[in-house]
């Protein structure tokens, strides 16, 4: 039994994409700030503004990186990056799910997933652009293998005790890929069964009900994601579907509106 979860925003990795971009631009931002300050001073004294670094004429059309409008998926180049990232995330997720079997190591699955993301993303956009830059790409969210009561975001530390998957476990695999800060996240939830078992046990039947409710709720949520829709409609629908299957909604699980360089935006459901 494999259920594809609704793509959603996830908590920021330890090395934030947004933070990484900000740090890489910090020197330029400081130079821009000094240049603007000096240009204002010269303008007040009637002198013509000049660049703080080279003495060249000040370019009034230059805009700070964080003041530039964000490109959307309506731009063909952005759509291409989203599409490629989604294809890679889906491919890796499918391959990892096939490895979720009794006796598999959570640690090794996480390592394998991260290595696959790094290898497959770096095979694309490897040539410098017209400015001589190579776009950033790779892991947007580390591979996490969440077993049973752990809902999300579990990637064990190296010194932690090893977790081994067993028959009867409910395992959720999640990961994230990005090209140029445009993030794709994907997840699957799997009921790990004993290949020799003929009929599901009582605990397995309960887990089957949970997976069926999750699948139905995810499908309905996708239909509610439309202009004019309300986050309250989605939340109410989750509760209604869960109760119809005789299960409950997991508390504390949220969905984020994602932005470039930020896979966990402030607008949430």
């Amino acid at each position: 039994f494999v259920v594809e979860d609704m793509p959603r925003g996830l908590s920021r990795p330890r090395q934030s994409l947004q933070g990484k971009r900000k740090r890489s631009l910090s020197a330029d931002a400081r130079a821009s700030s000094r240049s603007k300050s000096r240009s204002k001073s010269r303008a007040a004294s009637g002198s013509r503004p000049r660049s703080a670094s080279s003495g060249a004429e000040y370019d009034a059309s230059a805009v700070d990186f964080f003041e530039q409008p964000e490109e959307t998926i309506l731009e063909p180049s952005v759509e291409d990056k989203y599409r490629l990232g989604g294809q890679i995330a889906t491919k890796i997720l499918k391959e990892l799910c096939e490895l979720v079997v009794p006796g598999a190591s959570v640690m090794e699955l996480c390592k394998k997933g991260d290595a696959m993301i790094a290898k497959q993303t770096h095979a694309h956009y490897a040539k410098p652009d017209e400015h001589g830059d190579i776009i950033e790409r790779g892991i947007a969210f580390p591979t996490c293998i969440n077993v049973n009561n752990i809902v999300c975001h579990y990637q064990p530390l190296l010194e932690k005790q090893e977790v081994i998957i067993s028959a009867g476990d409910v395992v959720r695999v999640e990961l994230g890929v990005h090209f140029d800060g445009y993030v794709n996240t994907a997840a699957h939830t799997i009921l790990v069964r004993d290949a020799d078992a003929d009929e599901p046990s009582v605990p397995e039947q309960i887990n089957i009900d949970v997976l069926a409710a999750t699948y139905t709720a995810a499908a309905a949520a996708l239909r509610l994601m439309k202009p004019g829709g309300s986050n309250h409609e989605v939340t109410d629908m989750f509760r209604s579907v869960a109760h119809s299957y005789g299960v409950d909604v997991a508390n504390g699980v949220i969905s984020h509106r994602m932005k470039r360089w930020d896979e966990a935006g402030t607008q949430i459901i």
Side-chain angles (χ1 to χ4, degrees), residues 5-9 216-238 253-258 267-269:
D5 289 344
M6 163 175 69
R8 58 197 176 93
T216 303
L222 291 175
R223 288 163 174 78
L224 292 174
M225 297 292 180
K226 57 186 179 181
S230 166
N231 62 324
H232 297 292
E233 293 177 338
V234 179
T235 302
D236 293 342
M237 178 274 295
F238 283 157
V253 180
I254 57 180
S255 300
H256 301 261
R257 179 183 178 183
M258 299 164 63
Q267 292 184 323
I268 63 174
I269 299 176

Side-chain angles (χ1 to χ4, degrees), residues 110-128:
C110 290
K111 288 181 179 179
K112 185 173 184 62
D114 287 351
M116 292 167 69
I117 293 173
K119 180 178 179 180
Q120 295 189 31
T121 54
H122 279 73
H124 301 273
Y125 291 99
K127 294 182 179 180

